[in-house]
Amino acid sequence: MSETRVHLSKTEPTAYQALDAFARTVGQICAANGIDDRLKELVMIHSSQLNGCAYCTRVHVDRAVAAGIDADTMMQIASWRESDVFSEREQAALELAEAFTFISEDGISDDLYNRVGAVFTEKEYAALSWACVSINAFNRVVIAGRYPVPPRTPQAQA
């Protein structure tokens, strides 16, 4: 992956700044509507993993650590259906993240909508949905631009 790509955030910074402002607004909506940082970061990590976005995965793993999510929990995100470490709310949010990430396949089915709607209020559902839209947009910008994810120095890993 040594090929240099157009770095959208540098080439057209106004659009990237608008996307960044959108993401901050989504964070505020999440906080105002009962979506804590733990739940939001689980969604961000899972969507980024599903999209194959190493850059965003790293960013949100760092934020997840700051939100108090331990390594064992993070390692089980990809296999959340087989794990007992996630609450009912977290499972519903992870399933919603999958549906938004692969929205072209099945959309948001009535079955999923009803299952998730039984766990979240309308405001919580909307906040999580906007979080999914936001991270999927960032994943696409970053993957298209092949943002580098270099190894961390030993100091940065501590």
Side-chain angles (χ1 to χ4, degrees), residues 36-105:
D36 63 23
D37 287 342
R38 176 187 169 92
L39 187 57
K40 182 179 72 172
E41 294 307 328
L42 289 173
V43 165
M44 300 301 196
I45 291 168
H46 195 42
S47 296
S48 297
Q49 289 172 330
L50 294 170
N51 281 317
C53 187
Y55 185 93
C56 291
T57 299
R58 177 182 278 176
V59 166
H60 290 285
V61 163
D62 289 347
R63 291 179 183 175
V65 169
I69 300 176
D70 61 61
D72 181 62
T73 300
M74 279 189 272
M75 290 179 55
Q76 295 184 57
I77 293 171
S79 57
W80 66 268
R81 282 182 174 82
E82 289 78 36
S83 174
D84 291 329
V85 303
F86 300 103
S87 70
E88 182 182 23
R89 286 173 60 86
E90 291 168 344
Q91 291 173 15
L94 291 166
E95 188 171 11
L96 186 63
E98 290 175 357
F100 267 92
T101 300
F102 301 122
I103 201 158
S104 66
E105 293 177 14

Side-chain angles (χ1 to χ4, degrees), residues 112-125:
L112 173 63
Y113 181 83
N114 291 332
R115 240 185 355 269
V116 173
V119 176
F120 293 109
T121 67
E122 181 179 342
K123 289 286 204 173
E124 291 170 329
Y125 179 90

